[in-house]
């Protein structure tokens, strides 16, 4: 959170995931598909190679929290990509 009592509830440890989605969507809308694929590979190499325990330790979070948040993020990304594929058909 930003500050006690501020009313903001952003968890900045996960903003990169939201921003990555917006970057991927921008690449798609601009028609920069090669750059988009490169960025996807970069993301997978960056976050895909670490264990849940490693991520939990780095973020100082319980491993269950890391597992559930990453599961939710992957499901959201999968749904968005499926929607995109349907809209192209």
């Amino acid at each position: 959170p930003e500050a006690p009592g501020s009313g903001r509830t952003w968890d900045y440890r996960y903003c990169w995931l939201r921003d990555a989605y917006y970057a991927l969507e921008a690449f798609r809308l601009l028609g920069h598909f090669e750059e988009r694929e490169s960025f996807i590979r970069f993301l997978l190499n960056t976050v895909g190679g670490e264990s849940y325990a490693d991520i939990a330790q780095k973020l100082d979070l319980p491993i269950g929290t890391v597992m559930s948040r990453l599961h939710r993020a992957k499901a959201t990304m999968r749904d968005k990509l499926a929607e995109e594929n349907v809209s192209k058909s």
Side-chain angles (χ1 to χ4, degrees):
E2 288 253 328
S6 71
R8 294 186 183 209
T9 57
W10 291 103
D11 189 341
Y12 291 104
R13 294 171 292 188
Y14 290 93
C15 287
W16 66 269
L17 190 57
R18 177 205 59 208
D19 295 343
Y21 169 75
Y22 289 134
L24 289 169
E25 184 65 7
F27 283 136
R28 185 186 71 80
L29 292 171
L30 292 170
H32 292 267
F33 300 111
E34 287 181 27
E35 291 86 349
R36 185 172 187 258
E37 292 300 317
S38 294
F39 190 61
I40 289 171
R41 281 193 299 278
F42 166 76
L43 289 172
L44 292 174
N45 287 333
T46 301
V47 297
E50 295 197 27
S51 70
Y52 292 128
D54 291 339
I55 296 169
Q57 183 180 12
K58 287 180 181 178
L59 296 177
D60 192 31
L61 290 171
I63 193 167
T65 301
V66 170
M67 292 171 72
S68 65
R69 288 182 182 177
L70 286 176
H71 174 77
R72 189 171 44 236
K74 289 176 186 178
T76 300
M77 202 63 125
R78 187 172 37 252
D79 293 345
K80 293 291 183 184
L81 290 172
E83 288 172 14
E84 180 181 310
N85 287 334
V86 167
S87 67
K88 285 183 181 178
S89 302

